[in-house]
Amino acid sequence: MRSAMRPAKPTRRLPPKKPSGTSQKEPVGVYCRVRPLSPPDQECCIEVINETTVQLHPPDGCKTNRNGEYKATQYSFKEVFGTQVTQKELFDIVSRPLVEDLIRGKNGLLFTYGVTGSGKTHTMTGSPGDGGLLPRSLSMIFNSIGDFQAKRYVFKLDEKNGMDVQNEVDALLERQKREVQPQVVHRTPLSRQRMDPEFADMINIQEHCKVEDVDEDSVYSVFVSYIEIYNNYIYDLLEEVPLDPIKPKWNTPGKNAEFIPPQSRILREDLNHNMYVAGCTEVEVKSTEEAFDVFWKGQKRRRIANTQLNRESSRSHSVFMIKLAQAPLDADGDHVLQEREQITLSQLSLVDLAGSERTNRTRAEGNRLREAGNINQSLMTLRTCIEVLRENQLCGTNKMVPYRDSKLTHLFKNYFDGEGKVRMIVCVNPKADDYEESLQVMRFAEMTQEVEVARPVDKPICGLTPGRRYRNQAFKEELTRRLEDRGGPLNGGDAEDQAVVEILIQSFPPLPSCELLDANDDQSLPKLIEVLEKRCRIRQMMAEEFNKNVCSFRAMLQDLNGVVTAKENIAQGRMTEKDKVIASQKSEIDRLDKKIKTLEYKIDILEKTTTIYEDEKRTIQQDLENHQQKLHRQLSDKRRLEGRLQGMMNENAMKWEKECERRVAAKQLEMQNKLWVKDEKLKQLKAIVTEPKGDKPERPPREKDREPRGDVYKTRGGGQSVQFTDIETLRQQSPPSGGRKRRSSPSNQPPQEETTDADWTDVETRCSVAVEMRAGSNLGPGYEHHVVSKRRRP
C-alpha cells in the first residue's frame, strides 16, 4: 500500500557539478538495487521512477513536514535496478567492466551496502540456479584465460604481497613435493558430478561470457583468498587448523572440547604502498569449480546469526579477493619470461558488508549487541572517510582521512587513493519498517557519488614481438606434419641413424639388373664392376666431405665451447656479484623490516598519542566553548544588571529629588516659621519697649514679684535689652481680627477667662513674659506654655 497523501512535485536531489580539470579522475560508480517485497502486500516506501531515479516517501503515520504533509525525496544513481532485474543484467552492467579491467592488469573494488535483510549477500553470492556476481565473475575470468593458463606453481607467492616466477622444471618439482605431503590443504576439485550439491547449481552458468582481445602472448594464474572482519579483527576463512590424530578431527565451537579459536591477522604495507593481510592463505585455482569450492569452504566458516530482522544475518564484513598474475612469454613463445619485473599483478575485491541495524529493532543482547556496535562503528568510519574525501576534493582542503580508525577502511584505502576502480551497489528493502534506515543509506550513497578516484594506469608493454605463441604452435605443427610425411615421427637415436643410412643409400646410383649364367660372361660383370667402382668413388667423396664437415664442426664446437666457457665465467662472476648484491639486499631488507616494525610501533604510539591529544583537544575546545558561553551569559547578565542598576539609580535619583524638594520645602517652612516667630517676638518686644506707661493703678506687689525677675540694660543703639532671670507662664489671647493672622488654638476651645491682673500689668511684668515656639511645631502664638523656673544665673 502506498500513502494516500502525496506531494504534487517531490523534492529532487541531484549530485553537484564536478570541478573542472579532473580528466584523469572518475567518480565512484553507485548503483541501486531494490529487492522485492515479502510478502508483496506490505506497505512500500520506495518507488522506482526511471532507470536512474528512485523516490523515497514516508509511510502512513509518519509526518516529516511541520505543516503535517508528506515529503517525498528523489535520489539519483548511475543506474537503478528494480525488483524484476536478473542477476545477469546486474552482472553485465556492474561487474563485467571490473573483470575486463582485472584481465588487463587493473585493480577493482566492488562492495554491497545496505541495511540488514536488504539482499546484499544474495546479490553477491546468488541462490541455487541463479548465481550472483561472484560466481559469474569467476566464470568469466576462466572462460577468458582458460587457454592461456600457466602450469601450477609457475607463479609463486612471496610473503610480502609480491610474486615470483620459476621455470617449468622447478614448478614440476614443486608439484611433486606438494603431492607427497601427508596433508594437502586444497586439492584440485573433482568433476562436476562429485561437487558439493549446495553450490553446484550456482556456478552452472549457461551464458559463457568472456573478455575479448586477451593477450595471447602471456600466461595467467589465478589466486583467491577469503577473509572476514569481525569486531574490527581480521580472520582468515581459509586457514586450516593442523589435525591431531588423537583429538577429534573437527574444530567447531560447542562440539569440540578442544576448540582452537582462529588467530586474527594484521595489515601491512608492501613496497608499492598497497595494503595486504599478512599471513593470509592464498590458493592457486585453475577452474571456476575449484575457485567456488574454496569460496564455499570459507563461507561455511563465516559468522552469521539469527536476529529479529534477518534469519541469517551476517555478523561480519566478508572480503573475497581474486588476484590475477600474468607474465609474457619469451621471444620463442614457448616458455615464461623469467623476469620478475615483467610480472603484472591485478586484484578484484568483492566485499559483502554487514548490514547496519538498530538495536531497538533487533533487540540484540550480549554478543549480538557487541557485534552490532562494531558493525555500525565500522560503517560510520567508512562514511566519515567518504565525507572527508568529498570535502577535500570539493573545497580544496587537505584534511587527514581517518582510514586507520577501522580495519575495513584501512584495507581499502589504496582504492580511494587511485589504485583502482570503485563501485558500490546500494541494496534497499522497500518495506515501510525500514524507512528510517533506508533514508540514511540513500544519503550516504548520494554523498559517495561526489567522490572521485584516479583512473588506474595501463600496464607497460614488454616490447617483444606479438603473436609469438601462435607462431611457435604453428611451427611445431608443421614440423610434426613433415616428420609424419617422411615415415612418422623420430623416436630415439637408433631411428635417427637408420633414417640417415636410408637417405645415403637412396643417394647412390642404383645397381643394374643382371643375371649371371656363365663365368665367362663379359657383359654383366663389367657393368656391375663399373657401378660398384662408381659407388666406391661416391662413398669416398662423401667420406672426405663428411670428414671435412666433421673437422669444421669440431672447430666450431671448440670455438663455441670457448665462447660458452667465457660466457660461463662471465656469468659466474656476475652470479657471484649478484649473490653478493642479493646478500647485501637481504641484509638491507632485514634491516628495513626491523626499521619498519620499529616505525610501525612508533606509528601506533603516535596514533595513540594523537588520539589522546585529539581527545584532549576536543575536551579543551568543549571547555573553551563552555567558558565562552559562560562568559557570554555573564556578559548578558552584567548588561541586564547594569540596566537594572541604571533604572534603580534613575528611580532613586527621582525619589531623592522629590525627597530633597520635600525637605527643602519643609526647611523653608520651618525657616519661615522661625522668621515669623522672631518677627513676632521682635514686634512684641518693640511694642513693649515703645508702649508708653498708662495711668493704670499699679497692682499691689506680690511675694513672687518682690524679687527682680529680669534686668534691663541699655544698648549701644539707644535701645534696651532685657535679661530674664526667671521664666513665667504667659497667657495671651489672640490678636484682633484686623491684624496679622496667627496660629491659634482650635476654635472649639472655650475662651480663656480674662484675668484682672492684665489691667494693671506694667512694662516690667510684660517684659518678663515671653513665648517659646519650636520650628516646625504645631504650636503658634496664643498657645499656653508651662515651664519650670530656672535657677538664676549668678
Side-chain angles (χ1 to χ4, degrees):
M1 294 177 61
R2 295 180 181 174
S3 59
M5 299 179 63
R6 301 288 295 278
K9 188 175 181 181
T11 305
R12 177 136 186 203
R13 296 186 178 183
L14 295 176
K17 295 183 179 181
K18 303 296 179 182
S20 59
T22 58
S23 58
Q24 299 300 324
K25 290 186 177 183
E26 60 182 1
V28 176
V30 181
Y31 303 83
C32 180
R33 186 180 190 184
V34 183
R35 67 164 292 175
L37 279 174
S38 179
D41 58 347
Q42 283 186 343
E43 184 182 1
C44 178
C45 66
I46 295 177
E47 179 183 0
V48 178
I49 303 299
N50 52 40
E51 295 180 353
T52 60
T53 307
V54 295
Q55 179 171 302
L56 185 66
H57 56 83
D60 292 338
C62 180
K63 300 292 192 303
T64 58
N65 283 353
R66 292 182 179 179
N67 56 6
E69 296 180 355
Y70 287 96
K71 179 182 179 182
T73 308
Q74 292 184 358
Y75 296 90
S76 298
F77 298 90
K78 194 169 184 179
E79 190 152 347
V80 175
F81 302 96
T83 57
Q84 302 299 325
V85 72
T86 62
Q87 297 278 42
K88 183 181 182 303
E89 294 173 351
L90 181 66
F91 169 78
D92 290 339
I93 296 176
V94 180
S95 297
R96 183 165 186 159
L98 296 178
V99 176
E100 293 176 351
D101 288 345
L102 176 72
I103 295 178
R104 292 186 176 92
K106 301 176 183 179
N107 298 328
L109 171 64
L110 173 63
F111 61 96
T112 56
Y113 181 85
V115 300
T116 181
S118 58
K120 299 183 298 300
T121 303
H122 172 75
T123 300
M124 187 63 68
T125 307
S127 58
D130 191 14
L133 301 181
L134 190 147
R136 291 178 183 273
S137 299
L138 291 174
S139 177
M140 183 176 179
I141 290 171
F142 286 105
N143 289 339
S144 303
I145 66 171
D147 298 333
F148 311 125
Q149 291 193 69
K151 294 182 179 180
R152 201 179 294 269
Y153 303 119
V154 169
F155 291 97
K156 189 176 182 181
L157 294 165
D158 59 12
E159 297 179 355
K160 298 179 181 179
N161 202 33
M163 187 74 67
D164 291 326
V165 62
Q166 54 187 0
N167 54 38
E168 294 185 359
V169 176
D170 295 335
L172 178 61
L173 294 176
E174 185 75 17
R175 289 196 298 272
Q176 293 175 353
K177 180 181 178 182
R178 296 292 182 94
E179 288 176 359
V180 299
Q181 289 181 354
Q183 297 178 3
V184 179
V185 177
H186 297 283
R187 298 179 180 271
T188 304
L190 302 177
S191 61
R192 187 182 297 270
Q193 289 77 13
R194 301 180 59 185
M195 290 175 56
D196 193 337
E198 292 182 0
F199 66 85
D201 294 337
M202 293 185 185
I203 59 176
N204 188 13
I205 301 171
Q206 301 298 329
E207 304 87 3
H208 296 282
C209 57
K210 60 185 297 185
V211 178
E212 302 295 336
D213 301 330
V214 179
D215 186 9
E216 73 271 4
D217 294 323
S218 298
V219 292
Y220 303 85
S221 285
V222 178
F223 297 84
V224 295
S225 58
Y226 197 18
I227 64 170
E228 71 170 352
I229 302 176
Y230 175 72
N231 288 339
N232 206 27
Y233 288 97
I234 300 177
Y235 296 99
D236 185 4
L237 294 177
L238 304 181
E239 180 184 9
E240 292 286 348
V241 179
L243 297 179
D244 193 337
I246 301 177
K247 297 179 180 179
K249 295 184 179 181
W250 58 78
N251 190 36
T252 305
K255 294 183 178 181
N256 186 6
E258 302 293 337
F259 172 71
I260 303 174
Q263 298 294 324
S264 62
R265 304 297 180 181
I266 61 175
L267 290 176
R268 291 191 180 276
E269 191 175 38
D270 61 9
L271 297 177
N272 297 324
H273 304 288
N274 295 323
M275 303 306 301
Y276 70 98
V277 181
C280 179
T281 303
E282 294 182 279
V283 184
E284 186 177 6
V285 292
K286 294 300 179 183
S287 65
T288 305
E289 295 80 10
E290 183 180 1
F292 201 81
D293 178 61
V294 173
F295 164 77
W296 199 253
K297 288 180 180 179
Q299 186 73 2
K300 291 181 179 180
R301 300 173 184 174
R302 189 181 175 188
R303 292 172 173 87
I304 59 175
N306 184 11
T307 63
Q308 294 288 335
L309 301 181
N310 192 356
R311 186 178 62 182
E312 295 182 356
S313 175
S314 302
R315 313 311 296 169
S316 63
H317 309 300
S318 67
V319 183
F320 186 75
M321 291 176 284
I322 305 172
K323 186 178 292 185
L324 181 66
Q326 51 183 307
L329 296 173
D330 56 9
D332 297 332
D334 195 14
H335 301 287
V336 182
L337 191 63
Q338 300 293 310
E339 295 182 7
R340 183 174 181 178
E341 294 78 9
Q342 296 296 333
I343 300 175
T344 301
L345 274 179
S346 56
Q347 180 173 307
L348 175 61
S349 299
L350 303 176
V351 185
D352 182 12
L353 295 177
S356 59
E357 58 186 35
R358 292 188 177 183
T359 55
N360 57 355
R361 293 187 60 196
T362 59
R363 299 177 183 177
E365 297 178 354
N367 291 334
R368 301 290 87 81
L369 182 61
R370 179 188 176 193
E371 292 165 355
N374 285 284
I375 291 171
N376 294 336
Q377 181 63 35
S378 61
L379 295 177
M380 183 60 67
T381 304
L382 175 63
R383 179 165 187 164
T384 304
C385 294
I386 295 294
E387 288 178 351
V388 176
L389 283 172
R390 171 177 169 271
E391 182 179 356
N392 289 342
Q393 293 176 3
L394 296 182
C395 302
T397 58
N398 192 19
K399 292 185 178 180
M400 184 183 68
V401 183
Y403 291 120
R404 291 179 176 266
D405 291 352
S406 173
K407 295 293 177 60
L408 177 66
T409 54
H410 195 193
L411 178 61
F412 297 117
K413 78 179 189 67
N414 305 103
Y415 290 96
F416 293 102
D417 290 341
E419 291 296 332
K421 186 178 293 184
V422 181
R423 291 194 172 183
M424 179 177 72
I425 301 177
V426 176
C427 299
V428 292
N429 193 338
K431 66 179 182 180
D433 294 339
D434 290 345
Y435 169 74
E436 295 292 339
E437 292 84 351
S438 299
L439 184 62
Q440 298 299 325
V441 169
M442 292 294 182
R443 291 173 179 172
F444 172 70
E446 181 185 33
M447 179 180 58
T448 305
Q449 294 182 95
E450 302 177 8
V451 176
E452 294 181 340
V453 295
R455 293 180 180 177
V457 296
D458 296 330
K459 66 176 182 179
I461 302 176
C462 63
L464 298 176
T465 305
R468 52 192 181 277
R469 178 194 287 271
Y470 286 137
R471 283 199 302 271
N472 184 34
Q473 292 180 358
F475 171 74
K476 289 181 179 180
E477 292 175 357
E478 181 66 20
L479 180 61
T480 302
R481 186 184 63 80
R482 289 187 179 184
L483 290 176
E484 289 177 353
D485 292 342
R486 290 187 178 183
L490 303 178
N491 297 320
D494 296 337
E496 292 181 359
D497 294 340
Q498 185 178 0
V500 172
V501 171
E502 290 179 356
I503 293 173
L504 290 175
I505 290 174
Q506 291 177 3
S507 63
F508 290 159
L511 293 174
S513 58
C514 58
E515 182 178 0
L516 294 177
L517 300 176
D518 188 5
N520 297 319
D521 190 355
D522 296 334
Q523 296 180 359
S524 299
L525 290 176
K527 291 181 180 179
L528 183 60
I529 291 171
E530 182 180 0
V531 171
L532 291 176
E533 289 178 350
K534 188 176 181 179
R535 284 196 172 193
C536 287
R537 288 194 300 270
I538 293 173
R539 181 177 180 181
Q540 186 177 2
M541 290 173 58
M542 292 179 65
E544 292 176 355
E545 184 68 21
F546 180 75
N547 290 330
K548 290 180 181 179
N549 291 335
V550 168
C551 292
S552 61
F553 185 70
R554 184 178 289 110
M556 289 175 61
L557 286 177
Q558 290 177 356
D559 295 340
L560 182 61
N561 191 17
V563 173
V564 170
T565 304
K567 289 185 177 180
E568 286 181 353
N569 294 332
I570 295 172
Q572 188 66 28
R574 291 181 178 178
M575 288 293 294
T576 305
E577 294 177 357
K578 293 289 185 181
D579 291 338
K580 293 180 181 179
V581 173
I582 290 172
S584 62
Q585 288 180 351
K586 285 184 178 180
S587 61
E588 182 68 16
I589 288 172
D590 295 337
R591 186 184 65 82
L592 291 176
D593 287 338
K594 295 179 181 179
K595 187 175 180 180
I596 287 171
K597 292 180 181 179
T598 305
L599 292 176
E600 287 179 350
Y601 177 73
K602 291 182 178 179
I603 288 172
D604 293 337
I605 295 176
L606 290 175
E607 287 179 352
K608 294 179 181 178
T609 307
T610 303
T611 304
I612 295 172
Y613 285 161
E614 288 178 352
D615 294 339
E616 292 181 355
K617 180 182 177 181
R618 286 193 291 269
T619 304
I620 293 173
Q621 288 179 348
Q622 187 67 27
D623 294 341
L624 181 60
E625 292 177 358
N626 295 334
H627 187 63
Q628 289 179 349
Q629 294 177 359
K630 186 176 179 181
L631 289 178
H632 287 310
R633 289 196 299 269
Q634 291 179 354
L635 183 60
S636 61
D637 294 341
K638 182 179 178 181
R639 290 176 179 173
R640 188 165 56 252
L641 184 60
E642 287 179 352
R644 291 178 59 186
L645 291 176
Q646 187 67 29
M648 292 175 64
M649 290 175 63
N650 295 335
E651 185 179 357
N652 290 334
M654 294 175 63
K655 290 173 65 176
W656 279 110
E657 286 179 358
K658 294 180 180 179
E659 182 67 19
C660 290
E661 291 177 356
R662 187 185 65 80
R663 291 187 180 183
V664 167
K667 197 69 176 177
Q668 289 178 353
L669 180 60
E670 181 183 358
M671 295 302 295
Q672 289 177 0
N673 291 333
K674 288 182 178 181
L675 289 175
W676 177 75
V677 170
K678 289 182 180 180
D679 290 341
E680 289 296 325
K681 287 183 179 181
L682 291 175
K683 289 179 180 179
Q684 291 179 5
L685 290 175
K686 183 176 180 182
I688 292 172
V689 172
T690 58
E691 182 180 1
K693 295 181 179 180
D695 296 333
K696 294 181 181 181
E698 296 180 1
R699 66 179 177 87
R702 293 178 295 183
E703 293 181 359
K704 58 181 181 180
D705 296 332
R706 291 179 183 175
E707 296 180 359
R709 299 186 179 182
D711 298 329
V712 179
Y713 300 94
K714 291 182 179 181
T715 60
R716 292 181 181 179
Q720 295 178 352
S721 64
V722 181
Q723 181 177 1
F724 296 100
T725 58
D726 198 359
I727 298 175
E728 295 182 358
T729 302
L730 175 65
R731 290 182 175 87
Q732 184 178 353
Q733 294 181 353
S734 298
S737 59
R740 184 176 179 182
K741 293 184 180 180
R742 301 177 184 175
R743 292 183 185 179
S744 61
S745 59
S747 60
N748 56 1
Q749 292 181 0
Q752 297 180 359
E753 296 182 356
E754 295 181 358
T755 178
T756 55
D757 295 339
D759 296 334
W760 45 267
T761 303
D762 56 1
V763 176
E764 181 182 357
T765 303
R766 283 184 290 175
C767 289
S768 63
V769 179
V771 178
E772 285 191 8
M773 297 184 68
R774 296 182 181 178
S777 64
N778 294 327
L779 299 178
Y783 283 91
E784 182 176 304
H785 294 266
H786 300 277
V787 297
V788 295
S789 299
K790 291 184 180 181
R791 294 182 63 184
R792 184 174 182 178
R793 185 179 297 177

